[in-house]
Amino acid sequence: MMTNITLAHGNGGQENNELITKIFYKAFKNEILSKSEDAAVIEDGTLAFSTDSFTVNPIEFPGANIGKLAICGTCNDLAMMGAKPKYLTCSVIIEEGFEVATLKRVVDSMQTELEKNGAIVVSGDTKVVPKGSVDKIFINTTGIGQIEQKGISSNNIQDDDVIIVSNSVGKHGATIFAAREGIDFSTNLKSDCASLWPVIKKLIDEGIQIRALRDATRGGVSAVLNEWAKQSNICVEIEEEKIPVCDEVKGVCELLGFEALSLANEGTFVMAISKEQASKAIELLKSIEISKEASIIGNVTLKHQGKVVLNTAWGTQRFIDLPTGELLPRIC
Amino acid sequence: MNELKLKDLYDGFRDPKTIKALKNLVDKEAAKFPGKINVMEVCGGHTHTIMKYGLNQLMPENIDFIHGPGCPVCVMPKERIDHAYILSLQEDVILVTLGDMIKVPGSHGSLQDARSKGADVRFVYSPLDTIKIARENPNKKIIFFAIGFETTTPMTAALLEHVTKNKIENIYFHINHITVPEPMKVLLESNDCQIDAFIGPSHVSVITGSKIYKEFVTKYKKPVVVAGFEPVDVMQSILAIVKQFNENRCELEIEYSRAVSNDGNIAAQNLINKYFTKATHFRWRGLGDIPDSALRLRDEYSNMDAEIIYKNILPNEKIDDHKLCICGDIMRGVAKPNDCKVFGKACKPSSPLGSCMVSSEGACSAYYKYGNLIK
């Protein structure tokens, strides 16, 4: 058991899981929390309820800023339970000396994103703390959404289901690393940060029965698939060739020794649906701008239950594990 | 001329058709050879490639990979990690090192743990980034905890050159640079040696040249192929090795001819020699004491040597790995990670007991992370 909290405990991977289960779940134990979904399903399955805090460095980066992230993050967690985001709270902790012009830009982009979701902020809180107490600005958002398709759950995935990713993977994580480490690709690499409710709504309206849905944030697609494999006791087999990864993300991964599947996304989801509905879902996703790179990346089997297996194009296989530790570059 | 893109550097070297074609050629050549060939990839980077791309699954029955000791993070003895840990917790010190080192546990914990206790530990992509940290923190002592094989040594030497030329007074060095050939010889001279040929790491030879492996061919009669780190590089190298056996040759070949020469980078070698000399001993985690297998700062730079400056607070007692750990046997090629009783149970990447589990490049870590589905 850990004695002190390290950065690895916030990685969305194994250490993060350990922290949550051994400390928080143990203390707060209840039936709703233990489902471990993106958002809690409450009030007889009619409402979804979720909270998230945002701390990112730098706070403004290609494709988004911390404000857009804070709205997308919570609204997407609601959308991942088939819920239309409705009411949000917004709580900010600001470091002394923070520029008001920057704060305006952050808040304006929050409003733009709220409009895309059709949601409103109905309550909030502001704290200012002495310089050095927080890193520039931390934002917490909490949201309630109206569930429009019931029964979406990481525990429901079945043998022969199909796994879809909605976009090319790893763009948010790669953008943040590139910005933080001063890697200039002179290209269009930008975060995929986006509100996903409009896409999910279209899927629901077209009669797609979603089995499981999750936005692949910290820990990336590998974390989502590993959680699904364990929670539904299935094996997820994915085909390396089918996983969409853009050249810039591949470049960052090459330089720093990362795997695109473990990098964070902020506007890309993973979906499990029945084989019969897969082509209809893909057609629909490809017709929408933020999911036009959608791809069927694999399917569900019972070969190695609880595990995620990657099939290479030359006929070999390996496990895709949960990311561990702090994401750090390899030395050689 | 079209601009060279990063993907051009690796795309062709992961081409499925080429890999499949090479597999067929390896199969054909191996079928002609009556015996078994154990190929040691010296470097953890190759182990990582083999496991990540599942190349072990493509090998015919009579070719086996043996995973070598070439991961600088894995083979770092706990007592030296303790040095980093203790130094980092000094009030006026910023400890700087390369990324992987942050996670490796010593007997008190890892640098990550030290950081959670208030230590200022930073990782850099290039040792030269230490200069900026020193400039921004004139009242702090910046200690560069230098690790790595011949690959990373020139970068530390370049930092030393900058520090001495510009008379920077707040950068100090804790040197843990180690060398490839000495542990290879120790492995070959052990009684239960099962190594038939070597794949040598190309990035080491970019600096040293392929010449450091001459003795392995002439004296020890083991073929060596210096290889790049992409799947196609490794497959081509295996093909070259099997051909040598079929043609009854024992040669030093360079597969990675796009950057490796016999003599290597002379300017880098000169810079290394200017600042470093051989340390008489270095205790490798998992392998024990190997004479002349590491470097230390030359005496004239002892005013920058953190090991000398802080010698009163840096312990030097040996700290062994867990009793059940068989990392030594794994690195000598006489056992595989899953032969170990604690593998994946008491010993995992998040709580490693032995050297092969501590860094992502170690054999146990690669087996744990990527699984071992077919072989």
Side-chain angles (χ1 to χ4, degrees):
Chain A
M1 183 65 180
M2 66 211 97
T3 51
N4 290 73
I5 301 299
T6 68
L7 285 178
H9 289 110
N11 65 355
Q14 275 176 17
E15 292 86 346
N16 199 199
N17 254 346
E18 191 188 70
L19 177 74
I20 294 168
T21 47
K22 291 190 177 165
I23 308 270
F24 294 102
Y25 279 23
K26 200 175 161 195
F28 297 147
K29 207 173 176 184
N30 66 64
E31 213 176 282
I32 301 172
L33 184 68
S34 63
K35 290 224 165 70
S36 190
E37 304 280 6
D38 267 0
V41 175
I42 54 172
E43 296 297 296
D44 297 328
T46 55
L47 296 179
F49 188 29
S50 185
T51 187
D52 212 335
S53 295
F54 297 85
T55 64
V56 63
N57 176 25
I59 58 167
E60 293 178 288
F61 47 87
N65 63 34
I66 191 169
K68 180 177 177 184
L69 210 55
I71 298 301
C72 290
T74 289
C75 289
N76 288 350
D77 280 349
L78 299 170
M80 293 304 111
M81 299 310 293
K84 183 200 167 337
K86 295 195 82 166
Y87 304 108
L88 267 72
T89 66
C90 166
S91 176
V92 289
I93 301 176
I94 309 170
E95 187 186 23
E96 173 188 28
F98 193 79
E99 263 187 31
V100 173
T102 314
L103 185 62
K104 271 190 180 157
R105 281 200 301 279
V106 166
V107 175
D108 284 349
S109 50
M110 292 177 88
Q111 181 53 30
T112 308
E113 221 49 41
L114 283 164
E115 283 163 16
K116 285 183 194 163
N117 283 281
I120 50 173
V121 167
V122 290
S123 179
D125 180 51
T126 311
K127 296 273 187 302
V128 177
V129 293
K131 199 158 184 67
S133 303
V134 296
D135 187 10
K136 298 179 193 76
I137 182 168
F138 291 172
I139 303 180
N140 171 275
T141 50
T142 300
I144 286 186
Q146 185 85 44
I147 292 181
E148 296 199 0
Q149 186 180 103
K150 286 189 179 180
I152 297 174
S153 168
S154 319
N155 302 289
N156 287 351
I157 306 162
Q158 295 165 18
D159 185 18
D160 228 18
D161 276 356
V162 164
I163 305 290
I164 289 174
V165 291
S166 68
N167 200 342
S168 79
V169 302
K171 279 192 281 206
H172 178 74
T175 304
I176 295 297
F177 270 109
R180 206 180 284 168
E181 308 305 340
I183 303 168
D184 182 10
F185 278 96
S186 311
T187 59
N188 297 323
L189 178 61
K190 59 178 187 183
S191 168
D192 61 337
C193 185
S195 291
L196 294 171
W197 171 245
V199 181
I200 303 302
K201 183 175 165 34
K202 279 197 182 148
L203 289 169
I204 294 172
D205 288 349
E206 291 297 320
I208 301 291
Q209 282 300 312
I210 301 163
R211 209 92 81 180
L213 194 61
R214 186 159 284 189
D215 54 342
T217 53
R218 263 176 327 158
V221 173
S222 13
V224 173
L225 295 181
N226 269 287
E227 277 171 40
W228 285 2
K230 285 189 181 65
Q231 278 175 264
S232 292
N233 199 26
I234 42 143
C235 172
V236 177
E237 282 196 58
I238 53 175
E239 309 299 320
E240 193 164 24
E241 277 183 310
K242 305 264 175 67
I243 302 164
V245 188
C246 71
D247 288 345
E248 289 86 354
V249 171
K250 279 185 186 161
V252 170
C253 289
E254 274 309 300
L255 281 174
L256 304 179
F258 296 148
E259 290 216 49
L261 282 176
S262 299
L263 289 179
N265 309 275
E266 287 296 340
T268 299
F269 60 82
V270 190
M271 178 165 69
I273 53 168
S274 71
K275 197 163 65 178
E276 291 72 31
Q277 288 204 305
S279 53
K280 186 179 173 189
I282 277 287
E283 204 178 308
L284 194 72
L285 289 169
K286 281 180 179 293
S287 71
I288 303 165
E289 182 60 27
I290 60 166
S291 56
K292 67 177 183 198
E293 293 178 277
S295 170
I296 297 173
I297 61 165
N299 65 317
V300 175
T301 68
L302 298 174
K303 278 187 205 159
H304 300 273
Q305 278 168 277
K307 295 277 189 187
V308 181
V309 174
L310 179 94
N311 296 316
T312 68
W314 49 87
T316 65
Q317 295 184 310
R318 66 169 160 116
F319 290 135
I320 296 286
D321 204 8
L322 262 182
T324 58
E326 198 182 327
L327 271 186
L328 290 168
R330 285 166 53 201
I331 62 162
C332 61
Chain B
M1 204 178 96
N2 289 334
E3 190 188 343
L4 184 70
K5 296 200 171 109
L6 194 63
K7 75 190 280 275
D8 300 331
L9 298 178
Y10 57 78
D11 248 16
F13 302 103
R14 290 178 203 169
D15 175 50
K17 273 189 199 155
T18 315
I19 295 170
K20 281 182 187 163
L22 282 164
K23 180 199 161 29
N24 289 336
L25 290 172
V26 168
D27 282 348
K28 272 185 199 159
E29 283 291 331
K32 287 190 238 164
F33 187 72
K36 196 174 177 211
I37 306 172
N38 288 323
V39 181
M40 173 171 274
E41 79 280 359
V42 181
C43 175
H46 277 138
T47 309
H48 187 83
T49 301
I50 289 162
M51 296 307 292
K52 180 174 175 182
Y53 298 104
L55 303 183
N56 56 333
Q57 299 163 29
L58 297 180
M59 290 298 118
E61 281 297 313
N62 59 341
I63 297 179
D64 206 4
F65 286 110
I66 290 179
H67 314 301
C71 165
V73 175
C74 301
V75 297
M76 184 77 74
K78 276 188 181 172
E79 57 266 26
R80 300 203 59 94
I81 299 165
D82 285 355
H83 283 196
Y85 185 94
I86 291 165
L87 290 172
S88 75
L89 283 165
Q90 299 308 301
E91 223 167 68
D92 57 347
V93 163
I94 298 175
L95 190 101
V96 177
T97 190
L98 301 178
D100 271 7
M101 201 62 228
I102 305 256
K103 298 187 233 175
V104 187
S107 59
H108 306 300
S110 64
L111 288 171
Q112 193 170 262
D113 296 320
R115 202 169 51 187
S116 73
K117 288 179 180 153
D120 193 345
V121 177
R122 306 190 191 180
F123 72 87
V124 287
Y125 294 93
S126 156
L128 290 173
D129 294 342
T130 309
I131 299 162
K132 187 168 172 256
I133 298 172
R135 204 184 303 130
E136 288 168 359
N137 297 277
N139 300 322
K140 295 268 186 174
K141 294 188 172 80
I142 318 300
I143 302 179
F144 182 66
F145 190 75
I147 58 164
F149 283 97
E150 290 89 337
T151 337
T152 52
T153 317
M155 298 195 290
T156 308
L159 176 61
L160 275 154
E161 178 90 339
H162 186 93
V163 168
T164 49
K165 281 202 168 153
N166 294 285
K167 298 189 172 59
I168 299 175
E169 288 181 347
N170 62 336
I171 297 184
Y172 301 85
F173 293 82
H174 189 293
I175 301 297
N176 300 278
H177 285 303
I178 45 180
T179 51
V180 165
E182 289 74 17
M184 287 171 67
K185 287 179 205 167
V186 167
L187 299 184
L188 286 174
E189 284 164 8
S190 68
N191 295 331
D192 50 1
C193 170
Q194 296 184 16
I195 304 162
D196 299 310
F198 287 104
I199 294 180
S202 56
H203 56 355
V204 165
S205 284
V206 167
I207 306 297
T208 63
S210 61
K211 62 179 187 288
I212 58 165
Y213 301 117
K214 283 265 161 62
E215 202 182 351
F216 296 96
V217 179
T218 53
K219 181 178 166 191
Y220 296 97
K221 308 288 180 217
K222 305 290 180 192
V224 180
V225 177
V226 178
F229 288 92
E230 295 295 336
V232 166
D233 290 321
V234 175
M235 293 301 287
Q236 263 177 351
S237 305
I238 291 293
L239 182 61
I241 286 169
V242 190
K243 276 186 175 170
Q244 287 202 30
F245 276 89
N246 278 337
E247 292 161 15
N248 213 12
R249 291 183 287 120
C250 178
E251 289 169 15
L252 169 58
E253 289 184 67
I254 302 173
E255 180 277 337
Y256 196 77
S257 53
R258 51 196 193 269
V260 172
S261 64
N262 177 60
D263 292 331
N265 184 335
I266 303 290
Q269 292 167 26
N270 289 340
L271 198 63
I272 291 167
N273 290 332
K274 180 175 172 186
Y275 291 101
F276 297 107
T277 183
K278 282 270 181 185
T280 44
H281 290 280
F282 192 87
R283 212 172 77 89
W284 293 55
R285 192 168 175 177
L287 288 177
D289 197 359
I290 303 179
D292 298 324
S293 63
L295 301 177
R296 66 172 176 85
L297 277 179
R298 286 187 179 277
D299 291 340
E300 53 265 48
Y301 306 107
S302 58
N303 61 325
M304 290 189 275
D305 194 333
E307 259 187 279
I308 294 173
I309 296 165
Y310 290 95
K311 67 175 181 231
N312 294 334
I313 57 163
L314 300 178
N316 264 320
E317 293 80 39
K318 292 196 283 186
I319 306 167
D320 288 320
D321 271 343
H322 194 279
K323 276 184 192 147
L324 290 174
C325 170
I326 60 164
C327 283
D329 290 345
I330 293 166
M331 287 191 277
R332 285 184 299 115
V334 295
K336 285 278 165 79
N338 31 20
D339 295 330
C340 179
K341 280 182 189 158
V342 288
F343 173 77
K345 294 175 191 131
C347 185
K348 295 179 187 182
S350 53
S351 54
L353 294 180
S355 61
C356 298
M357 191 64 94
V358 293
S359 123
S360 61
E361 254 118 280
C364 294
S365 171
Y367 270 62
Y368 184 90
K369 188 170 175 194
Y370 299 125
N372 201 12
L373 289 171
I374 294 175
K375 268 189 161 183

